Amino acid sequence: MKYLYLLGYPLEHSISPAMQNAALRQRKIRATRYVKNPLPPDKLREMILALRAPHCLGANVTVPYKQTIMPHLDELTDLAREIGAVNTVLKRADAHGKLIGDNTDAYGFLQALWVRRIRPQNVCAAILGAGGAAAAAAYALAEQGAREIILLNRTLARSIELADRLNQRFPQVALALNDWDALERMHLIINATSVGMVPHADESPLPPKYLVPRRAVVFDLVYNPPVTKFSRDALARGARVIGGLEMLVYQGARAFELWTGQRAPVEVMREAARKALQEMTRAQSSSSRRRVGRG
Ligand code: NAP
């Protein structure tokens, strides 16, 4: 049996195994399984050993390892280096199992826009957050010809670092930091923070005094819950909303294609992901009802 790993910590809430194993079954890749390999933050060495083992074909990498894994890999793609984060590791069979760090989040983000016929050319976008997902979204938008990007992040130093990298690579894009008042003229507003994720589903990354413009497209990268408070508030304003599940499916589809060399069965992956998320949401709400009952 060969394995594809999901490396990160904690991983209880990941739906990637359901999605990737459905794709492996659909493509009749029988002797390979996609499995969670939860390793606490001090276990980076064990993680690299797991990747180098002969039965490992590759991996997805998630929080907290997306940046810290980078110096331990043999090569990085230009995309991963420029974004500054790795979410997919490929193993080069023709090069003694060399480990290559890649990033499929930018592709997943763009594909989720394209399937809705949203073209990033000339767009003015606000990105809430400045971590790995924000960097992937910013890179993808800038590379596709966005006109202006505003980074809105709690920790200013992190936005400055991301803005410096973007500015060097895309000097033509107008960049601004923490200009919340500019929200009202943005076409696209992206939540790339973890605010609003379960168990804090009643929180929004948008400070209460700001509203999303009615004509904006709002893209919340959070996928659990499927409809966040930020998305609900934007819908109530009349904005168009995209949920994080779409990006999850497309970044996973791209990783599947890189690992297996086969076309990803996107519909099968979307259905498996949706079902796994539904089951998880049901389990979460019954456990919170039990807690309330006890309280
Ligand atoms: P990350 O690198 O750890 O970045 C987290 C970001 O959230 C940082 O900007 C952080 O701000 C901000 N943040 C966290 N808690 C906050 C709070 N209480 N108030 C304000 N800001 C807060 O994580 P990531 O990999 O970029 O992931 C970010 C989100 O995107 C997560 O929800 C993740 O699930 C989602 N995501 C979705 C997909 C998908 O396929 N749909 C793919 C990747 C990521 P500071 O810099 O101030 O700490």
Side-chain angles (χ1 to χ4, degrees), residues 227-243:
V227 183
T228 59
K229 173 165 168 40
F230 182 48
S231 298
R232 255 196 325 276
D233 292 348
L235 280 169
R237 290 274 299 157
R240 222 174 135 190
V241 170
I242 308 173

Side-chain angles (χ1 to χ4, degrees), residues 32-180:
T32 304
R33 294 274 178 285
Y34 181 103
V35 293
K36 292 180 191 178
N37 195 345
L39 289 166
D42 55 336
K43 298 286 182 207
L44 197 63
R45 204 180 108 75
E46 281 80 345
M47 196 172 96
I48 302 299
L49 288 176
L51 280 173
R52 294 206 186 273
H55 58 256
C56 171
L57 295 181
N60 274 145
V61 182
T62 186
V63 178
Y65 294 119
K66 280 185 171 183
Q67 279 100 23
T68 50
I69 194 175
M70 294 174 76
H72 301 275
L73 300 172
D74 301 315
E75 276 177 29
L76 297 172
T77 60
D78 290 346
L79 188 64
R81 193 175 304 106
E82 282 173 2
I83 291 173
V86 162
N87 82 326
T88 301
V89 178
L90 316 171
K91 220 167 169 183
R92 287 258 311 270
D94 60 336
H96 308 292
K98 250 189 183 179
L99 299 174
I100 322 283
D102 202 348
N103 189 305
T104 66
D105 279 338
Y107 171 88
F109 171 80
L110 276 182
Q111 196 64 22
L113 292 177
W114 282 330
V115 295
R116 284 170 178 73
R117 301 183 191 288
I118 297 164
R119 308 275 172 238
Q121 289 80 10
N122 277 324
V123 92
C124 296
I127 302 180
L128 303 159
Y139 180 92
L141 291 172
E143 206 265 332
Q144 290 294 309
R147 194 190 324 155
E148 182 177 0
I149 297 178
I150 296 178
L151 299 175
L152 304 165
N153 194 48
R154 178 179 61 178
T155 308
L156 183 63
R158 218 169 167 193
S159 333
I160 292 174
E161 193 268 328
L162 176 55
D164 281 348
R165 279 192 292 129
L166 286 168
N167 200 27
Q168 275 178 28
R169 174 72 174 77
F170 305 104
Q172 73 284 7
V173 179
L175 287 169
L177 304 182
N178 285 1
D179 182 1
W180 289 89

Side-chain angles (χ1 to χ4, degrees), residues 63 66-67 105 129-134 153-155 158 191-195 197 203 221-223 244-245 247-248 251:
V63 178
K66 280 185 171 183
Q67 279 100 23
D105 279 338
N153 194 48
R154 178 179 61 178
T155 308
R158 218 169 167 193
N191 176 29
T193 74
S194 39
V195 180
M197 274 171 75
E203 293 175 12
L221 308 194
V222 170
Y223 61 84
L245 192 69
M247 173 171 164
L248 184 83
Q251 63 76 32

Side-chain angles (χ1 to χ4, degrees), residues 198-268:
V198 288
H200 304 290
D202 54 344
E203 293 175 12
S204 166
L206 203 61
K209 71 182 260 212
Y210 295 102
L211 295 170
V212 301
R214 291 178 200 284
R215 63 188 186 291
V217 174
V218 163
F219 191 169
D220 197 334
L221 308 194
V222 170
Y223 61 84
N224 187 6
V227 183
T228 59
K229 173 165 168 40
F230 182 48
S231 298
R232 255 196 325 276
D233 292 348
L235 280 169
R237 290 274 299 157
R240 222 174 135 190
V241 170
I242 308 173
L245 192 69
E246 280 299 291
M247 173 171 164
L248 184 83
V249 170
Y250 287 114
Q251 63 76 32
R254 179 84 185 125
F256 179 90
E257 290 177 351
L258 291 168
W259 293 321
T260 67
Q262 297 205 32
R263 204 161 52 80
V266 174
E267 265 319 305
V268 168

